[in-house]
């Protein structure tokens, strides 16, 4: 265990190493580049490999390949790069490839403002690839969480055989704070499930009772098929309805059945609150300051911070907001997660606070927005 003073991007790199990541592929892009730069120096020291590729498409495909070679793998990018990675992310979903993609959000659309922040990619990271699927998305709000959530992202990815998105932003990326970095023996590190049957009995997509197939990798003596088409348990392409339904339902349910492993929230001053602010990532830091300012002036306000942005556990969010007269959703975009909260919260009025700031929104921005609707 080490107490250090580091940036959010460095914490992500350290968390990945602690989780056992030994292959990183990427292409430089602001504000994610220093993750790659840090790993270029540190990853070889633990026997790992960092490779810069010609673009983001090659990077994520290399990560898919490395994972099938048996190595925990990661890439990091920002909005424009994530757009290029979407097709291969879909490949990772249907082939059930464990990997972690870090998206350090910046202002968009297109190349936008590379050095400034945003939370505009919230829906893209969970809905970017076509088809039906569930992809876990985690959102840190501090340097410590950047480390901790990177470890958690790898553990979810390995245990559920799925890609996981760690959704940071430019503010968290370059925020410097004290953090505790724990070593592999001091944290839980999960590795993918391996087949226990002989190679002649192994089917690469036959799930256990938990809906997750044991994963043999290339070179381990098993027949391995990485099939992007709809496939049966052998990995063979089939276009009948039953095979399609069985595969898609399993891809979704293997994650939804373990939502308690994925979903996490944190509440502040919830119990007596008439007004609850829902927020996440860097904006939640300002939202907490806004809530404290409101309480100091006699307004019973509370904060519900989403640590997981997808999938959402409806019952938990509904219970937190059950007694609130009004629920405000503060996010640094035109209003995206607010549509989820509107769907979930039945008793109170849900109002959007679209802050659209190139830096972290100020607490005053949030306080003024709430007072306008009180």
């Amino acid at each position: 265990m080490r107490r250090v003073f580091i940036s959010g991007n460095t914490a992500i790199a350290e968390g990945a190493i602690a989780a056992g990541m030994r292959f990183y592929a990427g292409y430089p892009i602001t504000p994610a580049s220093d993750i790659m730069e840090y790993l270029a120096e540190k990853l070889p020291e633990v026997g790992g490999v960092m490779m810069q590729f010609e673009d983001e498409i090659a990077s994520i495909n290399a990560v898919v390949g490395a994972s099938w070679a048996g190595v925990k793998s990661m890439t990091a990018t920002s909005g424009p790069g994530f757009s290029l990675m979407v097709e291969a992310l879909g490949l990772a979903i249907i082939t059930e490839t464990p990997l972690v993609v870090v998206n350090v959000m910046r202002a968009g659309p297109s190349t936008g403002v590379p050095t400034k922040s945003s939370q505009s990619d919230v829906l893209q990271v969970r809905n970017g690839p076509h088809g039906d699927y569930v992809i876990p998305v985690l959102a840190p709000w501090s340097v410590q969480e950047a480390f901790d959530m990177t470890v958690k992202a790898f553990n979810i990815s390995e245990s559920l055989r799925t890609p996981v998105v760690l959704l940071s932003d430019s503010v968290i990326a370059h925020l410097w704070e004290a953090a505790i970095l724990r070593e592999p023996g001091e944290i839980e590190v999960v590795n993918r499930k391996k087949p226990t049957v002989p190679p002649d009995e192994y089917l690469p997509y036959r799930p256990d009772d938990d809906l997750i197939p044991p994963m043999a990798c290339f070179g381990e003596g098993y027949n391995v098929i990485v099939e992007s088409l709809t496939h049966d348990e052998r990995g063979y392409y089939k276009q009948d309805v039953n095979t399609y339904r069985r595969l898609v339902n399993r891809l979704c349910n293997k994650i939804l059945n373990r939502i308690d492993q994925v979903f996490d929230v944190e509440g502040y001053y919830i119990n007596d609150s008439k007004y609850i602010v829902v927020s996440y990532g860097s904006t939640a830091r300002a939202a907490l300051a806004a809530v404290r300012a409101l309480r100091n002036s006699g307004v019973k306000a509370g904060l519900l911070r989403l640590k997981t942005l997808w999938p959402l556990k409806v019952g938990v969010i509904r219970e937190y907001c059950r007694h609130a007269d009004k629920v405000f959703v503060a996010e640094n975009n035109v209003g995206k997660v607010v549509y989820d909260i509107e769907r979930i919260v039945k008793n109170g009025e849900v109002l959007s606070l679209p802050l659209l700031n190139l830096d972290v929104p100020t607490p005053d921005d949030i306080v003024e927005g709430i007072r306008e609707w009180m």
Side-chain angles (χ1 to χ4, degrees):
M1 180 187 302
R2 293 173 286 152
R3 184 173 177 81
V4 296
F5 187 69
I6 57 175
S7 72
N9 273 351
T10 301
I12 289 172
E14 285 282 357
I17 292 173
M21 186 271 292
R22 292 297 180 267
F23 180 76
Y24 177 94
Y27 183 77
I29 185 169
T30 303
S33 294
D34 35 347
I35 296 174
M36 185 171 71
E37 293 166 1
Y38 187 83
L39 288 172
E41 177 183 353
K42 295 295 181 180
L43 204 48
E45 295 177 2
V46 294
V49 173
M50 193 294 293
M51 292 189 69
Q52 177 181 329
F53 280 79
E54 66 269 29
D55 57 29
E56 289 86 349
I57 299 171
S59 299
I60 191 170
N61 278 293
V63 166
V64 171
S67 185
W68 276 97
V71 183
K72 291 185 181 180
S73 305
M74 183 178 87
T75 186
T77 187
S78 190
F82 192 88
S83 296
L84 294 173
M85 292 182 176
V86 163
E87 183 180 10
L89 189 59
L91 171 66
I93 291 167
I94 199 169
T95 57
E96 302 180 69
T97 305
L99 58 87
V100 173
V101 179
V102 180
N103 182 346
V104 185
M105 290 182 286
R106 69 189 206 187
S110 189
T111 47
V113 187
T115 57
K116 293 293 186 178
S117 195
S118 168
Q119 293 181 317
S120 300
D121 301 348
V122 174
L123 298 185
Q124 186 198 23
V125 294
R126 74 188 206 195
N127 298 322
H130 60 278
D132 288 308
Y133 55 88
V134 176
I135 182 169
V137 179
L138 312 180
W141 81 331
S142 68
V143 170
Q144 183 65 60
E145 276 199 352
F147 176 86
D148 294 339
M149 283 193 180
T150 304
V151 174
K152 180 177 180 178
F154 272 98
N155 286 345
I156 294 171
S157 175
E158 290 286 316
S159 61
L160 303 186
R161 271 193 72 172
T162 179
V164 176
V165 174
L166 183 73
L167 190 62
S168 182
D169 60 51
S170 181
V171 172
I172 301 299
H174 298 128
L175 173 70
W176 284 70
E177 287 182 328
I180 302 294
L181 304 186
R182 292 178 174 80
E183 306 300 328
E186 301 170 325
I187 55 174
E188 181 186 24
V189 174
V190 177
N191 297 311
R192 65 194 63 173
K193 187 168 52 178
K194 289 294 182 181
T196 56
V197 298
D200 59 350
E201 297 179 15
Y202 176 67
L203 298 179
Y205 297 96
R206 180 166 63 190
D208 291 337
D209 292 340
D210 59 5
L211 305 182
I212 302 162
M215 184 175 180
C217 294
F218 289 107
E220 294 178 342
Y222 291 84
N223 290 323
V224 175
I225 299 176
V226 186
E227 176 57 83
S228 66
L229 293 165
T230 297
H231 48 262
D232 62 15
E233 294 180 350
R234 300 169 299 171
Y236 292 177
Y237 171 51
K238 295 189 74 173
Q239 53 181 320
D240 65 275
V241 173
N242 287 337
T243 300
Y244 170 72
R245 286 177 178 169
R246 192 179 303 118
L247 176 61
V248 170
N249 284 329
R250 187 174 63 75
L251 290 176
C252 296
N253 289 332
K254 71 175 183 178
I255 295 169
L256 295 177
N257 289 353
R258 284 156 193 81
I259 194 167
D260 288 337
Q261 179 183 342
V262 177
F263 182 74
D264 199 6
V265 293
E266 190 171 49
Y268 294 82
Y269 314 111
I270 294 290
N271 289 341
D272 65 345
S273 293
K274 290 179 61 180
Y275 307 104
I276 290 180
V277 182
V278 177
S279 193
Y280 53 89
S282 61
T283 303
R285 299 170 71 99
L288 180 58
V291 162
R292 286 172 172 158
L294 287 165
R295 294 189 77 87
N296 287 337
S297 66
V299 177
K300 292 184 176 178
L303 170 67
L304 177 60
R305 182 170 71 90
L306 302 177
K307 302 168 76 170
T308 303
L309 296 183
W310 198 252
L312 299 175
K313 192 167 185 181
V314 171
V316 171
I317 294 174
R318 188 171 291 159
E319 179 62 23
Y320 269 106
C321 299
R322 184 162 59 99
H323 298 298
D325 292 341
K326 293 184 178 179
V327 176
F328 298 86
V329 182
E331 46 189 338
N332 193 1
N333 52 45
V334 296
K336 296 177 186 290
V337 171
V338 65
Y339 297 112
D340 290 310
I341 304 303
E342 283 179 342
R343 171 176 58 87
I344 293 169
V345 175
K346 300 294 186 184
N347 297 328
E349 185 178 1
V350 176
L351 297 161
S352 178
L353 293 179
L355 298 165
L356 270 187
N357 197 318
L358 287 174
D359 296 303
V360 62
T362 68
D364 287 346
D365 293 336
I366 299 170
V367 169
E368 290 172 10
I370 292 174
R371 288 194 181 281
E372 183 177 344
W373 292 97
M374 281 173 54

